Amino acid sequence: RNAMGREALPLIVCASLVDKVPNLAGLARTCEVFACEAIVLPDAKVASSKEFKQIAVTAEQWIPCPAVPPAGLREWLVERRGSGYAVVALEQATNSRCLATGDLPPTPAVL
């Protein structure tokens, strides 16, 4: 459950390729608000940094924040697929489709 008591959604946000702490903290806070199952950070030390805590507030206390470094990302994604998750990669490009109008699989791991 998140801080509001909402049940966790079967959605994992993998932020292993995000390298700026403020962006990671903002994603963690967003994941907590939307009751995502977890947010994956590139390094476990990120969640304990002062900069992260100033933005994420207490999100890391309400949502699991496992660490998967970029070098281990491929293996982690393969493991998620083996556990029934569908890997969904997001990008912002000229011909991208709006995420709000697309259908996500029932148990996505969003990269």
Side-chain angles (χ1 to χ4, degrees):
R1 292 184 177 272
N2 71 357
M4 300 298 293
R6 291 180 57 198
E7 290 288 329
L9 299 173
L11 168 66
I12 299 173
V13 175
C14 179
S16 291
L17 299 177
V18 177
D19 60 355
K20 305 236 182 302
V21 174
N23 293 344
L24 289 165
L27 282 171
R29 183 115 190 234
T30 301
C31 287
E32 190 277 318
V33 167
F34 286 103
C36 294
E37 185 176 329
I39 179 168
V40 179
L41 302 174
D43 187 327
K45 295 176 187 173
V46 170
S48 61
S49 74
K50 182 179 179 180
E51 186 176 23
F52 183 91
K53 289 182 179 225
Q54 285 177 329
I55 297 168
V57 189
T58 60
E60 77 283 356
Q61 296 174 17
W62 295 99
I63 184 170
C65 300
V68 176
L73 188 55
R74 186 184 193 310
E75 181 180 343
W76 182 86
L77 290 170
V78 169
E79 288 173 4
R80 294 295 74 73
R81 286 186 72 193
S83 298
Y85 285 86
V87 175
V88 178
L90 302 181
E91 69 171 339
Q92 184 177 354
T94 305
N95 296 324
S96 296
R97 294 185 324 195
C98 178
L99 185 60
T101 60
D103 291 326
L104 286 175
T107 52
V110 178
L111 175 63

